[in-house]
Amino acid sequence: QVQLVESGGGLVQAGGSLRLSCAASGRTISTYAMGWFRQAPGKEREFVSVISRNSIITYYADSVKGRYTISRDNAKNTVYLHMNSLKPEDTAVYYCAAQTGSGVVRTSRPGDYGYWGQGTQVTVSS
């Protein structure tokens, strides 16, 4: 089992930046591709980004491409999401997840991720 805990969310003005962290415990995340998703009120959970086990492959939703950067530190068992040029439409609860159900790293399907954190709220004011 992998336990995931997100942190780093908060309230920020449009154009600002935040860095989210996802700390894992229970077992090493080095064997998992790791992803970030988000869910805004009244909307379905949306894929944001994923990073391969060795950080060679990264993949982003079009809505965040060029503004967000995913990274990981396997030695620290932690995944990060650097968010720049934030917009009000980025407001959501952000979740990290470990990919367990697909052999394809660039999957955006929530069902391919077997472990989830509890989420951290990001609010971007205009």
Side-chain angles (χ1 to χ4, degrees):
Q1 291 287 331
V2 178
Q3 291 80 44
L4 302 172
V5 179
E6 302 94 336
S7 62
L11 174 63
V12 63
Q13 289 187 331
S17 300
L18 282 175
R19 187 186 78 162
L20 305 184
S21 299
C22 172
S25 61
R27 62 185 298 177
T28 178
I29 61 169
S30 62
T31 58
Y32 299 103
M34 297 295 296
W36 286 93
F37 288 75
R38 66 186 182 185
Q39 188 166 19
K43 295 187 177 181
E44 292 188 354
R45 192 163 296 191
E46 174 190 27
F47 169 80
V48 174
S49 182
V50 62
I51 186 168
S52 63
R53 293 176 292 176
N54 55 13
S55 302
I56 291 177
I57 298 172
T58 58
Y59 179 54
Y60 298 91
D62 288 343
S63 58
V64 306
K65 198 173 297 182
R67 300 188 298 122
Y68 288 17
T69 302
I70 190 170
S71 63
R72 66 190 296 163
D73 185 337
N74 287 339
K76 294 183 178 180
N77 230 22
T78 301
V79 182
Y80 304 97
L81 186 68
H82 304 256
M83 307 184 295
N84 297 318
S85 302
L86 284 162
K87 306 174 182 179
E89 51 264 43
D90 294 320
T91 295
V93 176
Y94 282 71
Y95 301 89
C96 72
Q99 194 181 106
T100 58
S102 173
V104 178
V105 172
R106 296 182 181 91
T107 176
S108 59
R109 300 186 304 180
D112 288 330
Y113 296 78
Y115 300 111
W116 293 82
Q118 84 292 344
T120 185
Q121 176 71 47
V122 172
T123 303
V124 184
S125 63
S126 57

